[in-house]
Amino acid sequence: QVQLVESGGGLVQAGGSLRLSCVASGSRFSINVMGWYRQGPGKQRELVATINSNDNTNYADSVKGRFTISRDNAKNTVYLQMNSLKPEDTAVYACNAVRSGWRAFDVWGQGTQVTVSS
């Protein structure tokens, strides 16, 4: 069973930086897409960024130029470098991993809280 464990959340002042990590374990099969999503207070969950096995990335407009997603396939780990953080970035950030086709799965981590103070 595939499991995702996030780390790196916390409290930071506006303009600061944080780096989130997500480690996938329990899968003998490659992961096609890994991504980060977030859910702020009173808001719906939204995509932050995704990266596929070819390192093609996709970002929400609200984070372009500030956040960078990357992955280490050998370690089954995805990272989210968050710079120039804003109070509106405050949310629970959750990692997602998707494998398509044979032995497909779509799993989520438990989430990590990011709080940006003004």
Side-chain angles (χ1 to χ4, degrees):
Q1 184 176 358
V2 180
Q3 291 185 322
L4 303 178
V5 178
E6 301 106 331
S7 61
L11 173 64
V12 64
Q13 289 188 332
S17 298
L18 283 175
R19 187 192 194 209
L20 305 182
S21 300
C22 172
V23 180
S25 63
S27 174
R28 296 184 296 158
F29 307 100
S30 61
I31 298 172
N32 297 118
V33 181
M34 297 190 78
W36 290 95
Y37 293 74
R38 68 186 181 186
Q39 186 167 15
K43 299 180 180 179
Q44 290 189 333
R45 185 171 63 191
E46 63 176 355
L47 178 146
V48 177
T50 61
I51 184 168
N52 67 15
S53 54
N54 293 321
D55 284 341
N56 296 314
T57 58
N58 179 47
Y59 294 93
D61 287 343
S62 59
V63 306
K64 283 181 180 177
R66 299 188 298 123
F67 291 10
T68 302
I69 190 170
S70 61
R71 66 188 285 178
D72 184 333
N73 292 326
K75 296 181 179 180
N76 270 347
T77 301
V78 63
Y79 306 97
L80 186 67
Q81 178 66 44
M82 305 185 294
N83 299 327
S84 302
L85 283 161
K86 305 175 181 180
E88 51 264 43
D89 294 318
T90 295
V92 175
Y93 285 69
C95 178
N96 174 247
V98 175
R99 172 178 168 82
S100 304
W102 187 65
R103 298 287 188 178
F105 55 77
D106 184 345
V107 296
W108 293 85
Q110 80 286 355
T112 185
Q113 177 70 46
V114 171
T115 302
V116 185
S117 62
S118 58

